[in-house]
Amino acid sequence: WLKAFFVAQPVAYDSRRPSLAMGRRRDPDDSEEEPPDAVDSDGPQRPERPLTAGEDLAVASTLAQTRGLPPELRYEQVQGFLEPLGFGVTNETNWSRLASEQPQLVLSIVGHTEFGGHTQYEVKGELAGGPARHLEWATIRRLMHLREGIHDPVKVDLQGKYDAFFSKTPFARYTAPAGTTERLNAWMRSLALCINAGALSPRVVANALHVLDAPGVEVHPNKEALPVTSTIFGGGGFANNPCAASAADMAATSSSKSSASPKHSRQPMEVILSGPSVAWQ
Protein backbone atom coordinates (compact mmCIF):
# COMPACT_ATOMS: atom_id res chain seq x y z
CA TRP A 1 0.00 0.00 0.00
CA LEU A 2 2.87 2.38 0.64
CA LYS A 3 4.11 1.91 -2.91
CA ALA A 4 0.81 3.29 -4.16
CA PHE A 5 1.59 6.62 -2.50
CA PHE A 6 4.72 6.98 -4.59
CA VAL A 7 2.99 6.45 -7.91
CA ALA A 8 -0.65 7.34 -7.24
CA GLN A 9 -2.32 9.31 -9.99
CA PRO A 10 -5.95 10.34 -10.45
CA VAL A 11 -7.98 7.72 -12.33
CA ALA A 12 -8.56 8.78 -15.93
CA TYR A 13 -11.89 7.97 -17.53
CA ASP A 14 -11.59 5.05 -19.91
CA SER A 15 -14.66 4.12 -21.95
CA ARG A 16 -13.20 0.69 -22.59
CA ARG A 17 -13.39 -0.14 -18.90
CA PRO A 18 -17.04 0.21 -17.84
CA SER A 19 -16.29 -1.44 -14.53
CA LEU A 20 -14.32 1.68 -13.57
CA ALA A 21 -16.55 4.26 -15.18
CA MET A 22 -19.97 2.94 -14.16
CA GLY A 23 -19.41 0.18 -11.66
CA ARG A 24 -19.50 -3.55 -12.33
CA ARG A 25 -22.96 -5.00 -12.98
CA ARG A 26 -23.44 -8.05 -10.79
CA ASP A 27 -25.46 -11.13 -11.71
CA PRO A 28 -28.07 -11.94 -9.03
CA ASP A 29 -26.82 -15.52 -9.08
CA ASP A 30 -23.21 -14.48 -8.73
CA SER A 31 -22.10 -15.80 -5.36
CA GLU A 32 -18.59 -14.45 -5.54
CA GLU A 33 -17.88 -12.13 -2.63
CA GLU A 34 -15.60 -9.16 -3.10
CA PRO A 35 -13.07 -8.49 -0.34
CA PRO A 36 -14.48 -5.90 2.04
CA ASP A 37 -11.47 -3.61 1.62
CA ALA A 38 -11.09 -4.06 -2.12
CA VAL A 39 -9.60 -0.96 -3.76
CA ASP A 40 -9.26 -0.25 -7.44
CA SER A 41 -5.59 -0.79 -8.17
CA ASP A 42 -5.60 1.96 -10.80
CA GLY A 43 -6.59 4.73 -8.40
CA PRO A 44 -4.90 6.34 -5.40
CA GLN A 45 -5.11 4.04 -2.43
CA ARG A 46 -5.61 4.94 1.20
CA PRO A 47 -3.04 3.57 3.62
CA GLU A 48 -3.94 0.77 6.00
CA ARG A 49 -2.38 2.86 8.77
CA PRO A 50 -1.23 6.49 9.05
CA LEU A 51 2.13 7.13 7.45
CA THR A 52 5.06 7.79 9.71
CA ALA A 53 6.99 11.04 9.35
CA GLY A 54 9.79 9.19 7.59
CA GLU A 55 7.44 7.54 5.12
CA ASP A 56 5.76 10.86 4.38
CA LEU A 57 9.18 12.44 3.82
CA ALA A 58 10.13 9.56 1.52
CA VAL A 59 7.02 10.25 -0.57
CA ALA A 60 8.11 13.89 -0.84
CA SER A 61 11.59 12.79 -1.90
CA THR A 62 10.20 10.51 -4.60
CA LEU A 63 7.90 13.26 -5.83
CA ALA A 64 10.82 15.69 -5.98
CA GLN A 65 12.83 13.13 -7.93
CA THR A 66 10.23 12.10 -10.49
CA ARG A 67 7.78 14.92 -11.12
CA GLY A 68 7.99 17.08 -14.21
CA LEU A 69 6.04 20.10 -15.36
CA PRO A 70 2.25 20.03 -15.01
CA PRO A 71 0.12 19.98 -18.16
CA GLU A 72 -0.39 23.46 -19.55
CA LEU A 73 -3.73 24.91 -18.55
CA ARG A 74 -6.25 24.97 -21.37
CA TYR A 75 -7.70 28.33 -22.39
CA GLU A 76 -11.00 27.59 -20.64
CA GLN A 77 -9.18 26.76 -17.38
CA VAL A 78 -7.25 30.02 -17.06
CA GLN A 79 -10.05 32.15 -15.64
CA GLY A 80 -11.13 29.48 -13.16
CA PHE A 81 -7.56 29.13 -11.90
CA LEU A 82 -6.78 32.84 -11.47
CA GLU A 83 -10.05 34.20 -10.09
CA PRO A 84 -9.86 32.31 -6.74
CA LEU A 85 -6.45 33.95 -6.30
CA GLY A 86 -8.08 37.36 -6.64
CA PHE A 87 -7.27 38.23 -10.26
CA GLY A 88 -9.85 39.79 -12.54
CA VAL A 89 -9.81 37.87 -15.82
CA THR A 90 -11.92 38.15 -18.97
CA ASN A 91 -10.30 35.29 -20.89
CA GLU A 92 -6.89 33.73 -21.46
CA THR A 93 -5.54 36.87 -23.16
CA ASN A 94 -7.29 39.76 -21.37
CA TRP A 95 -7.54 41.05 -17.83
CA SER A 96 -10.83 42.51 -16.59
CA ARG A 97 -9.24 45.03 -14.19
CA LEU A 98 -6.39 47.50 -14.32
CA ALA A 99 -3.02 46.24 -13.14
CA SER A 100 -3.21 48.55 -10.11
CA GLU A 101 -6.46 46.85 -9.06
CA GLN A 102 -5.06 43.32 -9.25
CA PRO A 103 -3.39 41.45 -6.36
CA GLN A 104 0.28 42.30 -6.04
CA LEU A 105 2.66 39.36 -6.32
CA VAL A 106 6.00 38.88 -4.59
CA LEU A 107 8.31 36.02 -5.61
CA SER A 108 11.68 35.06 -4.19
CA ILE A 109 14.15 32.18 -4.08
CA VAL A 110 15.08 31.48 -0.47
CA GLY A 111 17.63 28.69 -0.97
CA HIS A 112 18.55 25.47 -2.69
CA THR A 113 19.24 21.92 -1.62
CA GLU A 114 19.90 18.41 -2.84
CA PHE A 115 16.62 16.58 -2.38
CA GLY A 116 15.20 13.67 -4.34
CA GLY A 117 18.47 13.27 -6.22
CA HIS A 118 18.32 16.75 -7.77
CA THR A 119 19.16 20.32 -6.86
CA GLN A 120 15.90 21.93 -5.79
CA TYR A 121 15.28 25.67 -5.51
CA GLU A 122 12.67 26.85 -3.06
CA VAL A 123 10.36 29.54 -4.36
CA LYS A 124 8.24 31.58 -1.97
CA GLY A 125 5.18 33.40 -3.23
CA GLU A 126 2.92 36.03 -1.74
CA LEU A 127 -0.25 37.63 -3.07
CA ALA A 128 -1.66 40.69 -1.34
CA GLY A 129 -4.23 43.34 -2.11
CA GLY A 130 -7.14 43.22 -4.49
CA PRO A 131 -10.31 41.33 -3.58
CA ALA A 132 -8.42 38.21 -2.51
CA ARG A 133 -7.21 37.54 0.98
CA HIS A 134 -3.52 37.57 1.74
CA LEU A 135 -1.96 34.35 0.41
CA GLU A 136 1.48 32.88 1.06
CA TRP A 137 2.99 29.60 -0.09
CA ALA A 138 6.27 27.96 -1.06
CA THR A 139 7.45 25.01 -3.09
CA ILE A 140 10.59 23.45 -4.54
CA ARG A 141 11.42 23.20 -8.22
CA ARG A 142 14.40 22.16 -10.34
CA LEU A 143 16.18 24.71 -12.50
CA MET A 144 14.98 23.01 -15.69
CA HIS A 145 11.37 23.38 -14.50
CA LEU A 146 11.80 27.08 -13.81
CA ARG A 147 13.44 27.60 -17.19
CA GLU A 148 11.10 25.55 -19.40
CA GLY A 149 7.89 26.11 -17.44
CA ILE A 150 8.22 29.82 -16.63
CA HIS A 151 11.20 31.61 -18.22
CA ASP A 152 10.69 30.40 -21.78
CA PRO A 153 6.92 31.11 -21.99
CA VAL A 154 7.45 34.54 -20.38
CA LYS A 155 10.09 35.43 -22.96
CA VAL A 156 7.85 34.35 -25.83
CA ASP A 157 4.87 36.29 -24.46
CA LEU A 158 6.83 39.52 -23.92
CA GLN A 159 8.73 39.29 -27.21
CA GLY A 160 10.57 42.62 -27.69
CA LYS A 161 9.55 43.88 -24.25
CA TYR A 162 11.51 41.19 -22.38
CA ASP A 163 14.63 43.31 -21.87
CA ALA A 164 12.59 46.15 -20.41
CA PHE A 165 11.88 43.98 -17.38
CA PHE A 166 14.82 41.56 -17.23
CA SER A 167 17.89 43.25 -18.76
CA LYS A 168 19.41 43.81 -15.31
CA THR A 169 18.37 40.42 -13.91
CA PRO A 170 19.31 37.69 -16.43
CA PHE A 171 18.10 34.16 -15.87
CA ALA A 172 20.37 31.46 -14.44
CA ARG A 173 22.92 29.78 -16.71
CA TYR A 174 22.35 26.21 -17.89
CA THR A 175 25.35 24.84 -15.97
CA ALA A 176 24.08 26.29 -12.65
CA PRO A 177 27.44 27.66 -11.47
CA ALA A 178 28.00 29.41 -8.16
CA GLY A 179 25.62 32.32 -7.78
CA THR A 180 22.68 30.59 -9.46
CA THR A 181 20.41 31.03 -6.43
CA GLU A 182 21.07 34.78 -6.39
CA ARG A 183 20.44 35.10 -10.13
CA LEU A 184 17.18 33.16 -9.83
CA ASN A 185 16.09 35.27 -6.89
CA ALA A 186 16.67 38.50 -8.83
CA TRP A 187 14.90 37.11 -11.90
CA MET A 188 11.89 35.99 -9.86
CA ARG A 189 11.58 39.43 -8.31
CA SER A 190 11.59 40.95 -11.78
CA LEU A 191 8.97 38.43 -12.87
CA ALA A 192 6.70 39.54 -10.05
CA LEU A 193 7.12 43.19 -11.09
CA CYS A 194 6.34 42.22 -14.68
CA ILE A 195 3.14 40.43 -13.62
CA ASN A 196 2.14 43.31 -11.34
CA ALA A 197 2.51 45.71 -14.27
CA GLY A 198 0.03 43.66 -16.31
CA ALA A 199 2.60 43.00 -19.03
CA LEU A 200 1.91 39.26 -19.26
CA SER A 201 -1.21 37.52 -20.49
CA PRO A 202 -3.45 35.69 -18.02
CA ARG A 203 -2.52 32.40 -19.71
CA VAL A 204 1.20 32.83 -19.01
CA VAL A 205 0.59 34.08 -15.46
CA ALA A 206 -1.73 31.17 -14.69
CA ASN A 207 0.71 28.58 -16.00
CA ALA A 208 3.63 30.15 -14.13
CA LEU A 209 1.69 30.03 -10.84
CA HIS A 210 0.62 26.49 -11.68
CA VAL A 211 4.27 25.44 -12.00
CA LEU A 212 4.95 27.13 -8.66
CA ASP A 213 2.22 25.11 -6.88
CA ALA A 214 0.19 28.19 -5.97
CA PRO A 215 -2.91 27.72 -3.78
CA GLY A 216 -5.41 25.52 -5.58
CA VAL A 217 -2.84 23.26 -7.25
CA GLU A 218 -3.14 19.60 -6.25
CA VAL A 219 0.34 18.13 -6.04
CA HIS A 220 -0.69 14.67 -4.83
CA PRO A 221 -4.12 12.98 -4.87
CA ASN A 222 -3.64 11.78 -1.26
CA LYS A 223 -2.44 15.07 0.15
CA GLU A 224 -4.70 14.80 3.22
CA ALA A 225 -2.70 11.78 4.35
CA LEU A 226 0.64 13.45 3.55
CA PRO A 227 1.05 16.54 5.74
CA VAL A 228 4.82 16.77 5.26
CA THR A 229 4.62 16.37 1.49
CA SER A 230 1.79 18.90 1.30
CA THR A 231 3.87 21.32 3.35
CA ILE A 232 6.93 21.04 1.12
CA PHE A 233 4.99 21.39 -2.14
CA GLY A 234 2.73 24.42 -1.97
CA GLY A 235 2.53 24.79 1.81
CA GLY A 236 5.10 26.48 3.98
CA GLY A 237 7.95 25.13 1.89
CA PHE A 238 11.07 23.32 3.03
CA ALA A 239 13.68 25.72 4.35
CA ASN A 240 13.22 26.63 8.01
CA ASN A 241 9.86 24.87 8.04
CA PRO A 242 8.97 23.31 11.40
CA CYS A 243 6.74 20.64 9.82
CA ALA A 244 9.40 19.39 7.41
CA ALA A 245 12.16 19.70 10.00
CA SER A 246 10.07 17.81 12.56
CA ALA A 247 9.49 15.01 10.08
CA ALA A 248 13.19 14.78 9.36
CA ASP A 249 14.02 14.73 13.07
CA MET A 250 11.45 12.06 13.90
CA ALA A 251 12.50 9.88 11.00
CA ALA A 252 16.16 10.32 11.78
CA THR A 253 15.56 9.51 15.44
CA SER A 254 13.75 6.32 14.46
CA SER A 255 16.60 5.30 12.16
CA SER A 256 19.13 6.18 14.82
CA LYS A 257 17.43 3.95 17.37
CA SER A 258 17.16 1.05 14.96
CA SER A 259 20.85 1.27 14.08
CA ALA A 260 21.82 1.75 17.73
CA SER A 261 24.31 4.42 16.79
CA PRO A 262 25.24 6.62 19.77
CA LYS A 263 27.38 9.11 17.82
CA HIS A 264 24.73 11.70 16.91
CA SER A 265 21.28 12.42 18.26
CA ARG A 266 20.26 13.75 14.86
CA GLN A 267 21.18 11.77 11.77
CA PRO A 268 21.49 13.51 8.40
CA MET A 269 18.70 13.17 5.88
CA GLU A 270 20.49 10.47 3.88
CA VAL A 271 19.40 8.06 6.62
CA ILE A 272 15.88 8.60 5.37
CA LEU A 273 16.36 9.32 1.70
CA SER A 274 19.39 7.18 0.82
CA GLY A 275 20.93 10.26 -0.75
CA PRO A 276 22.88 13.42 0.08
CA SER A 277 21.95 15.22 3.26
CA VAL A 278 19.61 18.18 3.03
CA ALA A 279 21.45 21.38 3.82
CA TRP A 280 19.98 24.69 2.71
CA GLN A 281 22.44 27.22 1.33
Side-chain angles (χ1 to χ4, degrees):
W1 59 266
L2 180 58
K3 183 178 179 182
F5 270 75
F6 289 82
V7 298
Q9 296 293 334
V11 179
Y13 175 79
D14 187 347
S15 60
R16 296 170 300 175
R17 303 179 64 187
S19 61
L20 283 181
M22 297 174 286
R24 184 168 69 91
R25 183 175 297 176
R26 296 183 61 89
D27 191 317
D29 297 328
D30 187 359
S31 60
E32 181 183 354
E33 293 289 337
E34 290 189 358
D37 297 326
V39 179
D40 184 353
S41 60
D42 289 340
Q45 300 181 17
R46 294 292 178 181
E48 297 174 0
R49 59 171 175 79
L51 294 178
T52 66
E55 290 167 341
D56 194 345
L57 195 63
V59 173
S61 175
T62 300
L63 185 59
Q65 180 180 20
T66 59
R67 78 168 180 161
L69 291 171
E72 186 172 342
L73 294 172
R74 299 187 302 273
Y75 71 92
E76 69 269 17
Q77 295 176 306
V78 170
Q79 185 175 7
F81 179 83
L82 289 175
E83 285 186 340
L85 299 177
F87 290 97
V89 182
T90 300
N91 51 44
E92 66 166 349
T93 58
N94 296 289
W95 301 100
S96 64
R97 294 198 300 268
L98 297 174
S100 59
E101 299 172 346
Q102 302 280 20
Q104 296 299 291
L105 176 66
V106 177
L107 294 172
S108 60
I109 302 288
V110 299
H112 69 276
T113 189
E114 297 299 317
F115 184 63
H118 301 290
T119 301
Q120 309 280 349
Y121 296 88
E122 179 166 354
V123 187
K124 281 192 175 291
E126 180 180 345
L127 276 169
R133 62 189 185 281
H134 186 88
L135 298 173
E136 293 184 18
W137 78 96
T139 194
I140 54 176
R141 275 292 185 182
R142 297 172 60 187
L143 177 58
M144 64 181 294
H145 297 155
L146 299 176
R147 182 186 302 280
E148 298 173 10
I150 302 178
H151 168 268
D152 292 354
V154 165
K155 195 167 186 178
V156 170
D157 198 52
L158 289 175
Q159 299 181 7
K161 297 183 292 183
Y162 180 85
D163 287 343
F165 291 97
F166 298 98
S167 60
K168 296 181 180 180
T169 55
F171 196 74
R173 297 187 175 94
Y174 280 95
T175 54
T180 294
T181 300
E182 289 73 18
R183 286 173 70 102
L184 281 177
N185 183 49
W187 191 89
M188 281 291 176
R189 290 182 180 277
S190 294
L191 174 62
L193 293 175
C194 181
I195 293 174
N196 293 339
L200 290 170
S201 67
R203 175 183 59 84
V204 172
V205 173
N207 280 294
L209 294 176
H210 196 201
V211 171
L212 297 179
D213 301 326
V217 175
E218 184 179 84
V219 176
H220 194 286
N222 286 317
K223 61 181 181 179
E224 294 83 3
L226 298 166
V228 176
T229 300
S230 297
T231 294
I232 294 172
F233 300 96
F238 208 149
N240 303 317
N241 189 294
C243 183
S246 176
D249 283 338
M250 286 187 291
T253 300
S254 176
S255 297
S256 177
K257 289 180 179 179
S258 63
S259 62
S261 174
K263 292 183 179 180
H264 303 286
S265 59
R266 174 174 178 171
Q267 297 294 322
M269 279 259 196
E270 64 262 30
V271 174
I272 318 302
L273 307 178
S274 299
S277 60
V278 173
W280 283 92
Q281 303 177 22

